Amino acid sequence: MGFNTALSGIKASADYLSVTGNNIANADTTGFKKSRIEFDDLYNTSVLGAGSGNSIGSGVSVSKVSQEFSPGNLSYTDNNLDLSIDGTGFFILDAGVAQSYTRAGNFKLDEDGFLVTNTGSNVQGFNAADGVVGGNLENLRIPTDRIAPEATTSMELKLNLNSESKDVPPFIKADFDPTNPDSYNYTQTQGVVGADGETRVVTYYYAKSELPNTYKVHATVDGNMTDDTGVPFLGETYATFNSTEGGVDYNGDGILERPNQLLYMGSREPGPTDIAALTQTPLTVAGTLAGVAITSTLAAADVRDDSSVAREVFDPLNPDSYTYGNTRSVYDSLGGAHTVGYYFIKQGENNTYEMRVTMDGEESYTDPLTGNDTRFLKENTNVTFDAAGNLMGTNRGLPPFDIAEPVALEIAGLDPSNRGRVTPIDLFGSTQFAIDNTDNFEQDGFSAGELQGVSFDDDGFLTATYTNQQTATLGQIGLATFDSTDGLLPSGHTAWLASKGSGPADVGRPNSGTLGRIQGGALEESNVDLTAELVALIEAQRNYQANSKTLETENTVTQTIINLR
């Protein structure tokens, strides 16, 4: 029996060495879980199964080689397809015969775009269709096809227009004073002969009012604002001019009013009906100066226009012709990129801005159906804000030239391949606060794109990035857990098979329930502790030598008996 006891000890020690050596050999194997050998002692028993109280053991046996599934350290890499599990779970592999499970996430792409291991087993998960992740577990695939372009069909523009911006010319708040040039914008003089036959100089002063293109007119005679009785030579008078661009028929006679043409002159602020009628009351100066009666009339045709101080004709290349503007990219049906420009021009002091839109530097296009020159954004489109700086809405028509009517903000002809398409633009959330002009622009179009790269997030979602700056969700990796990981059967290549002892796999999605989260660009290292394994080598060697000594001693004793005479 001594020989058998020693032999069992030698064999157990050899197995201990083998297990330890295997751990050491796989110290750098990704996802490897170290093994632990477990021993049982041996005793002879009677037929009834009860051993004697004086029984001598018969040696040792290896009862089990178990694996320890404690996590290994994470090693970060530059490969987005390298994955690790921070927490509980196993990656699910399809090797063609049965599913296996691994913690090693050093995955690759095969020639068909499937995510595979180094041995060719497919990694399983939930593929997506049109960005929607499915619910069936299948081989995870990364489509390498280019994505088709999408035309811009909607735009969102959230901007702030600085409330301290000024109309051009700016409203003059100061009281009129002919000796103060800051109280008026420009002047006009006229000679008039008084009742005494002497010539007097009448000067007309034009000071910008709160309304767009409208001026309050004052007059002096030889520098005097009032006559002998203290009454102003010219009563309250307003003059409204056409814009520098012109191009509008206000009175409906079929003739476009000229740029900077006088549209209205009268004793009160104008309204749309006044402009439509082209009401123009001549400027009349009357009174006595030093006892001499002075009377003068300036016909509307002789009134000096505001071209010397008016805003320049709108030009997207000239920042002086608008209050704020910016350009962004939009896309047509073929994925061609175009530059859309949006510009805002302050109109008077009533928190109103005219909005202008250009496409590739042009404000209009030729309508293929009518042949007419058509603006991308219809004329006289305005954006208004309330006194608190919040967006009130968009209108067509600018008082006092027109009656403002609410409209939906839409851009026509933005897609050169489909001029009939109308593209809405939403200004929701825009403001007019006393801070710098800023804007945030978003649109839903993009050009065609090639696959540039893929990555996984914490929830295991597989996201593709394309050369056109678009992203798409291609799927989600699957994970599995077991009732008893100790019951898993090693199948080689750092993988395990389910068994009766482990129970069936519970399949789920990362970062849900008890499943861990995914760490992309990282691998889980072996959980082998080399220091502990080297100590185990010493123990195994010691045990082997000791059992060998037992065998040697047993042999010596046996020889002694044989040599008896």
Side-chain angles (χ1 to χ4, degrees), residues 162-185:
N162 192 340
S163 62
E164 296 181 347
S165 299
K166 304 297 182 182
D167 190 8
V168 176
F171 164 56
I172 294 179
K173 298 181 180 180
D175 293 334
F176 171 67
D177 180 357
T179 63
N180 179 13
D182 292 333
S183 66
Y184 54 87
N185 297 99

Side-chain angles (χ1 to χ4, degrees), residues 44 50-55:
N44 289 328
S52 168
N54 295 321
S55 297

Side-chain angles (χ1 to χ4, degrees), residues 118-132:
N118 288 331
T119 58
S121 296
N122 287 95
V123 181
Q124 297 202 302
F126 309 94
N127 287 313
D130 298 325
V132 179

Side-chain angles (χ1 to χ4, degrees), residues 46 58-59 83 96 101 110 131 162 164 222 230-231 245 247 304 346 348 357 360 452-453 459 464 474 547 552 555:
S46 69
S58 300
L83 303 179
Y101 309 92
D110 67 9
N162 192 340
E164 296 181 347
D222 286 347
V231 177
E245 290 181 270
R304 181 186 174 189
K346 191 163 188 179
V357 169
D360 295 331
Q452 189 174 38
D459 294 325
L474 303 181
N547 280 286
E552 180 185 348
N555 180 56

Side-chain angles (χ1 to χ4, degrees), residues 439-453:
D439 77 79
N440 181 40
F441 178 84
E442 294 183 4
Q443 56 84 40
D444 60 354
F446 51 83
S447 62
E450 301 286 349
L451 182 65
Q452 189 174 38

Side-chain angles (χ1 to χ4, degrees), residues 298-365:
L298 183 66
D302 296 326
V303 171
R304 181 186 174 189
D305 65 39
D306 67 339
S307 57
S308 62
V309 297
R311 191 191 304 270
E312 299 178 55
V313 174
F314 170 70
D315 180 358
L317 299 180
N318 179 12
D320 291 334
S321 66
Y322 51 85
T323 305
Y324 175 70
N326 204 351
T327 58
R328 303 285 184 162
S329 294
V330 294
Y331 299 88
D332 60 30
S333 300
L334 302 178
H338 301 275
T339 300
V340 63
Y342 41 87
Y343 304 87
F344 297 86
I345 305 171
K346 191 163 188 179
Q347 303 291 326
E349 298 300 311
N350 293 321
N351 305 318
T352 300
Y353 296 79
E354 181 185 8
M355 184 176 179
R356 309 287 283 263
V357 169
T358 64
M359 174 79 159
D360 295 331
E362 300 294 332
E363 205 173 2
S364 61
Y365 66 96

Side-chain angles (χ1 to χ4, degrees), residues 12-54:
S13 298
D15 290 341
Y16 190 5
L17 281 171
S18 297
V19 171
T20 305
N22 185 62
N23 288 342
I24 294 173
N26 287 281
D28 289 326
T29 301
T30 299
F32 177 79
K33 300 304 175 185
K34 66 181 178 179
S35 298
R36 183 183 69 185
I37 191 167
E38 298 175 359
F39 301 107
D40 275 344
D41 55 357
L42 295 177
Y43 280 87
N44 289 328
T45 60
S46 69
V47 293
L48 296 180
S52 168
N54 295 321

